[in-house]
Structure formats: structure tokens, C-alpha cells
Amino acid sequence: MATRINKTKSKLDPRVSSLLSPRDLQRIANGTYEDVFSALGLHEAEDGDGWVIRVCLPGANAVSVLHPESERVLAKLDCVLDDGVFEKRVRRYKNRFRYKLRAEYESGSVTFEDPYAFASQLSADELYLFGEGNAEQCYRWLGSNPTQIDGVN
């Protein structure tokens, strides 16, 4: 997912509090956050009270979390940064759950699987070898390769 770099400061909505610091939210919006998989997608709340879903969708006016089959709205995310960072704590589930997202734009809405809902598909060994510069045949796992994860193609 290509994220545009925005060097201007975005406004935080004072009515909505995020579980991330304002600096981290700004770095997510700017595309300079070091580990987006640790911040975006579905994560257990740090205090253990439910789950947090966070997305970065610049230009979106609203974002909803949907049931993956029925597409019934499970939650509406709060905009915590006007550059398109949305999040919501969901307390009704005890275990990790599948979901889809619906983003509302001025031109219409889009329903899609959250790419950050899936864990990394690379093993610790593959990451180590790649970082070391010794990964052989990395074309097999880098780039666009058709696969199925958790029933999603």
C-alpha cells in the first residue's frame, strides 16, 4: 500500500482519544512509522480489555468494521487524525476475529479485506537471511504471489 508523505501537521480530534501517541499517529499518516504491522490492523488492547482496530485511509470520510460474511456493521471507527487515521476499541470479542472494512469516500464506498489483519507470512529465518543479504530465491516470497490466507485469496 503506497502512502503519500505529508510533511504538514494534521489535526487531532480533541473529542476522540487514541491509544497511540500523537507523534505515532502523525508518523503513521506520514508513512514514516517503522513497523506499521504493530500499529495497523487488529491488536489486543494493551490493558487486555478487548481489541483495537486501527487503519490509515487518507481521504476516507468514515470507516466501518464489517462481519466478513454478512457484511453487517460491527463497529464504526473514530477518526483520530484528520489525515485518515481511524481506530476503535472493540470489547465484545474475547478472541481474535475476522472482519472486513468499508471506507466511505465522497465518490462512494469500498469494501475490502484489511491487509494488516494478516500476520507476516515470512519466517524469522527468512527475515534474518534477507536482512543479512543472504536470502536465496527471495523472489519466491517477495512481490506479488497468489496465495490464500485464512480463507482469503
Side-chain angles (χ1 to χ4, degrees), residues 15-153:
R15 298 166 294 162
V16 180
S17 64
S18 173
L19 299 172
L20 285 181
S21 71
R23 180 175 181 263
D24 285 345
L25 290 172
Q26 189 65 56
R27 289 173 37 217
I28 288 170
N30 290 343
T32 58
Y33 197 80
E34 294 85 17
D35 183 12
V36 292
F37 276 95
S38 71
L40 299 178
L42 178 69
H43 297 279
E44 189 172 1
E46 285 187 17
D47 61 7
D49 185 18
W51 299 85
V52 175
I53 300 174
R54 187 177 298 112
V55 300
C56 182
L57 295 169
N61 296 321
V63 180
S64 298
V65 177
L66 309 176
H67 186 275
E69 282 85 33
S70 70
E71 295 192 358
R72 178 177 51 90
V73 175
L74 302 176
K76 293 186 179 206
L77 303 187
D78 298 318
C79 182
V80 293
L81 189 70
D82 67 357
D83 263 356
V85 181
F86 295 81
E87 77 176 33
K88 184 75 163 189
R89 183 189 293 245
V90 180
R91 291 186 168 99
R92 74 176 98 176
Y93 297 98
K94 298 212 182 289
N95 298 315
R96 188 170 193 83
F97 58 96
R98 280 202 46 229
Y99 62 93
K100 287 183 179 180
L101 296 171
R102 177 177 296 136
E104 304 287 339
Y105 296 91
E106 286 184 27
S107 60
S109 66
V110 174
T111 300
F112 58 96
E113 299 284 345
D114 182 1
Y116 294 100
F118 306 100
S120 174
Q121 301 303 297
L122 302 179
S123 70
D125 289 340
E126 289 169 328
L127 290 171
Y128 175 81
L129 291 172
F130 184 75
E132 194 178 52
N134 291 320
E136 295 181 12
Q137 299 179 341
C138 60
Y139 61 86
R140 290 184 176 189
W141 41 270
L142 287 180
S144 179
N145 296 301
T147 189
Q148 187 178 77
I149 303 167
D150 297 336
V152 177
N153 290 323

